[in-house]
Amino acid sequence: MIYVFLVSIGGLLPLVDLGRRRPEGIFLSKYIFCWLLLFMAVIGGLRYNVGADFSGYLRMYQSAPALFNGVIRHSQQAHGGLAFYFIAGVIKLVGGQAWLLFLTFTIASLSINSLVIRRYAKNFGVAFFLYLCFSFFGRDMGQIRQGLATAISFYSIYYIEKQNPLRFTLTLIIASLFHPVSIVFAPFYFFGRVAAKRYQYVLFLIAGLIMGQFGVLDSLIAYLPGDFIGIGYVGSIRYGASVSIFSASMIRRLLPAILVLLFYDKFFKTRDLPSIITSNMVIIGAFLSLIFIDVAIFIERLVVPYLVAEVIIFSNMLTIINNKYWKTLWVVFCLLYGAYFVYNLLNGRHGDFFPYNNVILESQFF
């Protein structure tokens, strides 16, 4: 099975990175990573009729005008975003077909996420494997606009670290042109570098839990605009359903924040600003998850720009664990955790992923 193959190749990265101190280990890690990127680009970028929103994006591409033929006007009237229709317009201008749109988005997301993970993860293998399981399968193989928007938002934390508000704002504007949900990341510039006390974070999450359990969202909805992201899904069986705090999806959203609080002194080192920023991201992601627990679509959309940092948290645990045997056990846990997520995802959304088709195997491109 193609998905098992991809996860298996990705699972080699954390194992090799455990012993990559020698030159041959470093070479092997880079070798596996290059092949993994190629397989991900081919499997994700050249898929045909695979993914939750594939047919929707195909229709959007087919209705899009070529560049210089009213792209801005069309983006204002149609569902999507200016950046999405700009890329579609360029592809149509040069005579490309729809498969090139999916390939472009996949390669762009892979490139940006790889760069950010390489910069901030203390163990690249663990972080990239979890990115493969969580984001690539869960996002990039379906919602390509939000996948790329999230990657760009993730990149913007570099400008939070360097205290460059102009470049942060410009980066986030670009992200929002792909998907407006990126705007929820804007306030993070002002408190992303702030290291609060542990008890303050605990009270923050308890407040989110109380607000979620007592239906604060119901009161907020009355004041939200009619075109607010996901508002049309409220009350629907699939997207508007309440999420149990004990469900696997909620545990996944809360676990990174719990790890940060358990090892607070290690994650909030005074001089390790990237660690503070990514720790704050997962705590805010957990807070939003608790508040919007009554509507699944809000958790799914509004939390993603923050919770993407979970891969960094799991990776950086290896710098906290001193015993080599516990390090190995943590890597094994991450491997099982990522594989378990993919297994549940493929089973829960079987129709989105099976049968797997690829444009290379099709008689003609679409």
Side-chain angles (χ1 to χ4, degrees):
M1 185 189 299
I2 195 71
Y3 304 129
V4 174
F5 169 76
L6 197 58
V7 172
S8 298
I9 296 296
L12 293 176
L13 273 180
L15 297 176
V16 172
D17 272 3
L18 277 175
R20 59 173 295 181
R21 295 178 182 177
R22 296 181 178 180
E24 56 268 28
I26 296 175
F27 171 79
L28 183 59
S29 178
K30 292 180 178 179
Y31 181 79
I32 293 173
F33 176 64
C34 288
W35 277 106
L36 178 61
L37 278 182
L38 177 62
F39 292 142
M40 291 171 72
V42 171
I43 293 172
L46 297 180
R47 69 187 188 279
Y48 175 74
N49 202 27
V50 175
D53 296 333
F54 181 90
S55 58
Y57 285 122
L58 181 58
R59 288 192 299 269
M60 289 165 63
Y61 175 80
Q62 292 170 339
S63 66
L67 195 64
F68 308 121
N69 288 324
V71 168
I72 295 179
R73 183 175 63 255
H74 182 80
S75 68
Q76 294 172 340
Q77 299 170 348
H79 175 72
L82 178 58
F84 173 85
Y85 287 110
F86 176 82
I87 292 177
V90 170
I91 293 174
K92 282 199 167 184
L93 182 67
V94 300
Q97 295 176 305
W99 63 268
L100 190 55
L101 176 78
F102 293 93
L103 182 62
T104 300
F105 272 78
T106 300
I107 291 177
S109 292
L110 284 174
S111 301
I112 296 172
N113 282 304
S114 298
L115 178 63
V116 179
I117 292 172
R118 180 71 70 181
R119 177 179 291 157
Y120 293 114
K122 298 297 192 294
N123 184 287
F124 178 80
V126 168
F128 194 82
F129 172 75
L130 291 177
Y131 159 72
L132 164 68
C133 296
F134 295 156
S135 298
F136 181 76
F137 278 104
R139 186 75 51 190
D140 299 344
M141 288 264 302
Q143 298 145 336
I144 59 174
R145 286 194 307 121
Q146 188 172 0
L148 183 52
T150 301
I152 297 172
S153 299
F154 198 19
Y155 183 83
S156 72
I157 67 175
Y158 176 75
Y159 300 120
I160 298 176
E161 178 191 357
K162 300 303 179 182
Q163 300 186 45
N164 192 323
L166 178 59
R167 292 192 176 184
F168 172 82
T169 302
L170 291 175
T171 304
L172 215 57
I173 289 174
I174 294 173
S176 66
L177 291 177
F178 284 99
H179 201 291
V181 75
S182 304
I183 294 300
V184 303
F185 200 65
F188 189 67
Y189 181 84
F190 300 100
F191 46 79
R193 296 184 299 271
V194 177
K197 302 293 185 181
R198 184 181 350 218
Y199 79 89
Q200 292 173 322
Y201 286 119
V202 172
L203 291 176
F204 183 59
L205 294 181
I206 291 175
L209 175 63
I210 294 173
M211 292 169 68
Q213 294 301 313
F214 283 88
V216 173
L217 180 60
D218 294 335
S219 301
L220 290 176
I221 287 178
Y223 297 97
L224 294 177
D227 59 349
F228 186 79
I229 303 169
I231 196 73
Y233 293 108
V234 174
S236 68
I237 296 176
R238 178 178 179 183
Y239 296 105
S242 177
V243 181
S244 170
I245 195 171
F246 300 108
S247 65
S249 61
M250 277 299 295
I251 291 174
R252 176 198 158 191
R253 289 171 171 85
L254 298 178
L255 181 56
I258 293 173
L259 289 174
V260 166
L261 294 179
L262 286 175
F263 300 96
Y264 173 86
D265 294 334
K266 300 295 184 180
F267 279 106
F268 284 94
K269 295 177 182 177
T270 305
R271 297 182 181 179
D272 192 356
L273 192 54
S275 181
I276 294 174
I277 292 172
T278 51
S279 296
N280 279 327
M281 285 176 68
V282 297
I283 289 175
I284 293 174
F287 175 76
L288 293 175
S289 298
L290 291 169
I291 284 184
F292 295 110
I293 196 168
D294 279 344
V295 181
I297 190 68
F298 287 152
I299 295 181
E300 181 68 16
R301 293 290 189 265
L302 301 180
V303 172
V304 169
Y306 288 102
L307 209 60
V308 65
E310 63 185 322
V311 301
I312 305 298
I313 300 301
F314 282 108
S315 164
N316 292 359
M317 281 293 295
L318 286 170
T319 64
I320 296 173
I321 302 172
N322 295 320
N323 186 286
K324 65 177 182 179
Y325 298 108
W326 283 107
K327 283 180 183 287
T328 303
L329 284 176
W330 182 253
V331 170
V332 172
F333 168 77
C334 290
L335 289 172
L336 295 175
Y337 187 39
Y340 175 74
F341 175 84
V342 174
Y343 175 79
N344 276 330
L345 179 69
L346 297 182
N347 275 297
R349 292 165 47 187
H350 190 276
D352 293 333
F353 289 93
F354 299 97
Y356 177 80
N357 297 304
N358 195 286
V359 298
I360 297 176
L361 305 178
E362 296 296 311
S363 57
Q364 61 181 19
F365 291 162
F366 57 97

